[in-house]
Amino acid sequence: MPGESDPGLRRDAVGLREVLFQSITAMAPAAAVAASIPSGAAFAGGSLPLSVLVALVACLFTASCVAELARQLPAAGSVATYSAQGLHPAVGFLVGWGYVFVEALVPALLLLQLGFTTAGTLHQEWASYPADLWWPWSLAGAVVIAVAGFYGVRASARFGTVLGVFEVLVLLVFAVLLIWKAGDANTLTVFGTSHTAHGYTGAGGVFAGSVYTVLAFSGFEAAAPLAEETRDPGRTMRRAVLGAALAIGVFYVLTTYAMSVYFGPDRFAGFGVSGAASWEGVARASFGLFWVLLFLAVVNSTIANANACSNVSTRTAFALGRIGVFPRPFARVHPRHRSPVVGVAAQFAVAVAAALGLGLAYGPVTAFALLATVIVTVVIGVYIVVNLACAGYFLRRRRDLFRPVPHLLFPVLGTAAFVPALLTAAGIPAFDFVSPLKAPVSYAGPAVGGWMLTGAVVLAVLVRRYPGRLAETGRVHLDGPPEPAAGSQDSERVNSVNTTGDTTDETGEVRR
């Protein structure tokens, strides 16, 4: 139980470099370039670089909202705290409930990708290796992530930094080689609409491609849950969130441009995630053993992403456990490493169970698609709520800091940008380029609905029996964890959260 004997998370443990790469690796840049962004080529064709640029601008609106809230409300609860303060504690709880659920599933998603990518490549090189022997690699990745998490934020964040630097450097070098070998084929027309795929001409094809590319940006907010372990969190969080979104966005534009002009803009609609017309295929055909580095970068990206999202899920669960809206054991930390050990253990169990359970039942690739649909649907929903929370927070609580462009216009534009992506991820055919989901991927909707319905039931119990705990969802814990709330006193001591993140009890005394 949190209290005098439990020091909480380690304060001032990491700086800007580590939290910047926490967000960068959560976006899985190498895996996104090789396996996510190419899906937009079927619509945007050789104009995909323009689609990526459009997606970057759209995502920066929401990244700006997250950064503004992170500067004012540096808390391990991150999006839950922002929503509680900007909208209502009940909304904050539901956002936290959904966010911790999907962030706990992200490592399982990446472990599946690690497994089938490694097994498939080994089988391709040595036919004697079984293509379906993917699960040992997934288990090995889960152990590595759990060990890094157990040793605390310094170990896991620095581990993520090393992995992130490697994957970004490999893809940057490859992009430069592609641009150099393209020679006279380099052209800025890929930033126009003249190379879109057949049937998706003009701006429509670019828009469709950008919707699929937006999904590659998810994770830019992952630095925020490390706020309580970061030096100068208000300033550092803002720079990390915005810096990661902008830097990786430019990285996406550069790498997509490089492959488009090298492969041929008018042929790029046939580019994909496997075979000769893919990043690995081009590397194998034209750059010798460079494909090995590319393969290692993608594998590296899965581990780095899983590590970053494990940090997110365990810190969010810690924050909710600390105030009693999640089981209290989630707030326990290791006495030496100050890591949320119960959360780390639970994360390991969920990742292994989901990866092996779904992977063995449906196959790793299908299980990957199912989990990806669940995760992206909820994460984009969270982004939309956080946009609204940004406007609500500065309009209702910090009118002295309110500025119309970042605190009202950007939330509106960010929400508008993510609504098409949400419909696409959920398989709702609001656009002609969206196809309805088929089973078992279509099970994602009921799974999300069931989890959020359960959250609504828990919320009703909290409102009725423990309103004080629910109110604490919006609290910023700057000086350590609060005393555990007693069940019989929760309804008598409902804390109100003021605009600085301090709380006042019924006597009017301000405390941090």
Side-chain angles (χ1 to χ4, degrees):
M1 298 284 287
E4 293 181 359
S5 62
D6 191 336
L9 300 172
R10 188 183 299 278
R11 300 300 168 89
D12 300 328
V14 292
L16 175 61
R17 180 186 60 193
E18 290 83 5
V19 294
L20 176 65
F21 275 92
Q22 163 75 7
S23 279
I24 285 175
T25 54
M27 297 163 74
V33 167
S36 177
I37 292 176
S39 61
F43 309 100
S47 296
L48 188 60
L50 177 59
S51 293
V52 176
L53 186 60
V54 170
L56 167 60
V57 173
C59 289
L60 283 175
F61 295 137
T62 297
S64 174
C65 293
V66 174
E68 289 292 304
L69 290 168
R71 178 167 60 176
Q72 299 298 321
L73 304 169
S78 63
V79 294
T81 304
Y82 309 156
S83 303
Q85 290 239 20
L87 298 173
H88 190 276
V91 178
F93 168 77
L94 289 175
V95 166
W97 179 267
Y99 192 61
V100 75
F101 169 59
V102 296
E103 290 297 328
L105 291 177
V106 171
L109 174 82
L110 276 303
L111 292 174
L112 285 166
Q113 186 176 12
L114 170 64
F116 66 69
T117 299
T118 305
T121 301
L122 292 178
H123 176 72
Q124 186 175 357
E125 293 302 306
W126 298 285
S128 60
Y129 187 91
D132 58 354
L133 191 59
W134 57 271
W135 57 268
W137 300 102
S138 298
L139 280 178
V143 171
V144 169
I145 295 161
V147 171
F150 172 79
Y151 280 103
V153 69
R154 284 178 180 164
S156 61
R158 289 172 182 173
F159 178 55
T161 299
V162 173
L163 296 179
V165 169
F166 174 76
E167 64 178 294
V168 169
L169 282 179
V170 169
L171 267 295
L172 282 178
V173 170
F174 195 17
V176 171
L177 289 175
L178 290 170
I179 292 172
W180 175 65
K181 292 199 72 171
D184 294 339
N186 280 282
T187 174
L188 294 179
T189 61
V190 295
F191 292 102
T193 61
S194 60
H195 300 293
T196 53
H198 178 71
Y200 298 95
T201 57
V206 172
F207 172 74
S210 70
V211 169
Y212 283 88
T213 305
V214 161
L215 307 181
F217 284 85
S218 61
F220 59 78
E221 83 294 346
L226 301 189
E228 295 177 24
E229 300 164 278
T230 303
R231 294 184 290 274
D232 190 9
R235 181 168 177 263
T236 302
M237 288 299 106
R238 182 175 185 274
R239 294 171 66 188
V241 170
L242 273 178
L246 180 59
I248 295 304
V250 172
F251 170 81
Y252 287 162
V253 172
L254 175 64
T255 51
T256 306
Y257 167 82
M259 184 56 79
S260 179
V261 296
Y262 176 83
F263 191 80
D266 294 326
R267 299 192 301 128
F268 206 61
F271 196 80
V273 300
S274 61
S278 69
W279 279 82
E280 183 182 343
V282 169
R284 282 179 178 272
S286 305
F287 294 88
L289 290 177
F290 197 90
W291 74 266
V292 176
L293 284 178
L294 184 63
F295 161 71
L296 292 176
V298 173
V299 168
N300 170 102
S301 190
T302 63
I303 298 174
N305 191 354
N307 175 69
C309 291
S310 177
N311 286 337
V312 172
S313 68
T314 54
R315 270 61 183 181
T316 305
F318 168 87
L320 296 178
R322 176 171 56 186
I323 62 176
V325 298
F326 256 38
R328 291 283 188 183
F330 280 101
R332 292 176 182 165
V333 298
H334 189 277
R336 178 181 176 186
H337 304 301
R338 308 274 279 273
S339 56
V341 287
V342 174
V344 171
Q347 173 64 83
F348 175 80
V350 169
V352 171
L356 296 188
L358 294 175
L360 294 174
Y362 300 117
V365 176
T366 300
F368 178 90
L370 171 58
L371 285 177
T373 304
V374 170
I375 292 164
V376 172
T377 301
V378 176
V379 168
I380 292 179
V382 168
Y383 288 162
I384 291 173
V385 174
V386 170
N387 282 325
L388 299 177
C390 179
Y393 177 76
F394 286 99
L395 282 171
R396 295 171 55 231
R397 295 184 179 274
R398 296 307 305 264
R399 287 300 295 268
D400 57 313
L401 298 177
F402 174 76
R403 290 176 292 159
V405 172
H407 302 146
L408 188 58
L409 179 60
F410 283 4
V412 171
L413 294 176
T415 299
F418 274 110
V419 167
L422 177 63
L423 297 174
T424 301
I428 299 174
F431 308 100
D432 59 359
F433 56 82
V434 179
S435 300
L437 302 177
K438 298 180 181 179
V441 178
S442 60
Y443 302 160
V448 172
W451 178 258
M452 296 309 297
L453 180 61
T454 303
V457 173
V458 175
L459 174 62
V461 173
L462 290 171
V463 169
R464 182 174 179 84
R465 299 186 59 185
Y466 308 110
R469 299 185 188 184
L470 185 62
E472 287 269 277
T473 306
R475 179 180 170 186
V476 178
H477 296 72
L478 295 178
D479 297 322
E483 296 180 0
S488 61
Q489 297 175 343
D490 281 341
S491 60
E492 299 173 2
R493 299 184 65 203
V494 180
N495 296 316
S496 61
V497 184
N498 67 22
T499 58
T500 65
D502 300 337
T503 57
T504 59
D505 59 23
E506 61 187 6
T507 67
E509 181 182 358
V510 177
R511 58 188 178 87
R512 297 297 278 187

